[in-house]
Amino acid sequence: MSSTDSSSETSDSDSSDLRPATSVGARRLFDRMPPGIDCIGALSDGILHHILSFLPAQEAVRTCVLAQRWRHLWKCTTGLRIVGNKGPFWRWLNGLLFVSRCLRTLVLSGVGLQGTTLDFSSCPALEDLTIGFSVINVGKISSLSLKCLSIFRCRSYLDDRVRVSAPCVVSLKLLGFSGITPLLESMPLLETAFLTLGAHGHHTSQDICQKYSQSGVYCGAKHDACTNCHANNDGSRNCVVLGAISNAKHLELISSFGTVIFTRDLKWCPTFDKLKNLILNDYWCMGPSFDALSCILKHSPVLEKLSLHLFKGLRANVKMKGSYSSMERSSVISEHLKVVDVKCSVVDENVVEVLKFLCTLNIRFCFV
């Protein structure tokens, strides 16, 4: 395994909640100590491990020269933040990185991951993994302990899909992945997932329908489909992402036009038995038949809230709220659906077509 350069944008809400209390407690402890006493040395190992978890890994390792007591403290820190990798330090650290019984949080930013498998089985306490702005050239990412997994602004140069095996994940974020979209294996405990697929900014995807640019319509998984729509690169026809996230209660599924993953996965669409809150963008609202939107609604039997974000950028200028106009409910929609929100920049022809389609499902809208 090796690495490349960049920056990291991560936060740990649990840790940030502890910072004020820890800071005040430390000041009070130091105030009671006479001059000449080693205040930092008076702190317990647990507190020092917590402090070291906020440092970049290189700085945390450097503390080993402070005193005999500090020699191995960094190895038991509960969190490590790896930013880039240059020089012999990183080659040395790579041999130690993924062998820790104490590590709970790991942030990798601007690194290059190489090899057959990124296996975290030697980190049995690891629960929170973030990989950002990195190159992931590994065949598989595997962990039995992870609960929170975030992969953002990364890319792969491999010809095969990176497989992600994390069966205990509760929260998943896969945002702006360049190259071939990773294949997600079953996540039965998943509660929340945010997926943004396709080209965003300077990030590009190889999962593009080869016929969409010509006709504006996906060829799907038909007998005459293009290579990308027809099957995974391993020849299988299993879902790439939707099958793994089908147990989630909250889903946000965003994709750029032309990307085949969601459209292709819908050919083998799973049932989202626990899904209550669903957020979709305009990718899902393509007329005239609105097949993608109809399909996922039909397979979400307990859905309570549907939000359609039909705008570009960060803000919507127009907001509408929908509700049933009668007691009759369409067979396409969950009987539990209470709220349908539509947000857009302007009510253009495409938005009108979406509203007309939803009206056929006995939903009426008003401006908010």
Side-chain angles (χ1 to χ4, degrees):
M1 181 180 65
S2 63
S3 298
T4 58
D5 301 307
S6 194
S7 60
S8 171
E9 293 181 8
T10 57
S11 62
D12 187 333
S13 58
D14 292 336
S15 298
S16 61
D17 293 341
L18 293 173
R19 290 174 192 170
T22 302
S23 176
V24 172
R27 286 199 300 269
R28 290 174 179 172
L29 174 63
F30 297 156
D31 289 343
R32 293 196 298 267
M33 291 185 174
I37 297 296
D38 179 7
C39 299
I40 297 295
L43 298 176
S44 67
D45 286 356
I47 293 178
L48 293 178
H49 292 153
H50 183 67
I51 293 173
L52 290 175
S53 69
F54 293 104
L55 296 177
Q58 188 169 7
E59 301 301 323
V61 173
R62 284 174 175 168
T63 62
C64 69
V65 301
L66 294 178
Q68 182 67 27
R69 181 193 176 195
W70 288 80
R71 186 173 180 181
H72 299 292
L73 272 178
W74 72 273
K75 295 181 182 180
C76 296
T77 183
T78 57
L80 275 179
R81 184 161 58 94
I82 314 297
V83 182
N85 73 323
K86 282 187 176 181
F89 167 78
W90 299 107
R91 290 191 291 273
W92 169 76
L93 182 62
N94 283 337
L96 302 175
L97 183 57
F98 301 132
V99 181
S100 172
R101 305 195 67 83
C102 303
L103 190 64
R104 293 201 301 265
T105 301
L106 177 62
V107 178
L108 303 175
S109 179
V111 303
L113 303 172
Q114 307 280 345
T116 304
T117 302
L118 186 60
D119 186 359
F120 291 97
S121 59
S122 295
C123 298
L126 184 64
E127 295 184 350
D128 193 333
L129 172 63
T130 298
I131 308 176
F133 305 103
S134 299
V135 174
I136 305 178
N137 286 340
V138 295
K140 186 174 185 177
I141 299 174
S142 176
S143 172
L144 294 176
S145 60
L146 276 183
K147 294 184 178 179
C148 298
L149 174 61
S150 298
I151 301 175
F152 62 94
R153 300 296 184 262
C154 293
R155 75 161 300 129
S156 173
Y157 292 99
L158 298 178
D159 294 328
D160 298 324
R161 298 192 188 280
V162 177
R163 304 181 73 94
V164 178
S165 176
C168 293
V169 160
V170 175
S171 174
L172 171 69
K173 293 181 180 179
L174 178 61
L175 310 174
F177 196 91
S178 296
I180 300 178
T181 304
L183 190 151
L184 305 181
E185 297 185 1
S186 178
M187 298 177 176
L189 303 181
L190 188 69
E191 295 183 1
T192 303
F194 301 88
L195 275 64
T196 301
L197 305 183
H200 297 275
H202 64 281
H203 300 275
T204 58
S205 172
Q206 294 182 28
D207 292 310
I208 302 296
C209 175
Q210 297 166 358
K211 296 184 179 180
Y212 179 84
S213 60
Q214 302 172 3
S215 63
V217 178
Y218 298 94
C219 57
K222 305 172 185 176
H223 67 279
D224 61 344
C226 70
T227 303
N228 289 340
C229 287
H230 187 63
N232 293 331
N233 51 10
D234 60 1
S236 72
R237 294 191 174 186
N238 297 323
C239 289
V240 176
V241 294
L242 290 185
I245 64 176
S246 60
N247 285 303
K249 297 178 181 178
H250 175 97
L251 285 178
E252 182 170 333
L253 306 177
I254 308 298
S255 179
S256 61
F257 289 107
T259 304
V260 303
I261 296 300
F262 288 138
T263 303
R264 184 187 170 284
D265 275 7
L266 289 176
K267 300 297 179 179
W268 304 276
C269 187
T271 299
F272 299 89
D273 290 319
K274 302 176 183 178
L275 184 61
K276 295 186 177 182
N277 189 10
L278 176 62
I279 300 174
L280 305 172
N281 72 331
D282 50 359
Y283 169 94
W284 296 85
C285 301
M286 291 172 33
S289 58
F290 298 94
D291 290 339
L293 181 58
S294 297
C295 183
I296 197 166
L297 289 179
K298 188 178 296 185
H299 289 82
S300 304
V302 298
L303 186 66
E304 296 179 358
K305 182 178 180 180
L306 170 66
S307 298
L308 300 179
H309 293 179
L310 310 180
F311 60 91
K312 306 297 183 185
L314 300 177
R315 295 187 61 183
N317 298 321
V318 182
K319 299 180 182 180
M320 292 169 278
K321 179 168 290 188
S323 60
Y324 285 102
S325 62
S326 70
M327 294 301 294
E328 294 185 12
R329 293 180 179 268
S330 168
S331 60
V332 175
I333 291 184
S334 161
E335 62 179 332
H336 303 281
L337 187 63
K338 300 175 183 177
V339 179
V340 179
D341 287 336
V342 175
K343 300 179 181 180
C344 58
S345 301
V346 61
V347 183
D348 58 16
E349 182 179 348
N350 293 330
V351 174
V352 170
E353 290 301 314
V354 174
L355 296 177
K356 286 181 179 179
F357 168 74
L358 293 173
C359 284
T360 66
L361 306 179
N362 296 317
I363 299 175
R364 299 295 184 268
F365 289 88
C366 62
F367 290 98
V368 179

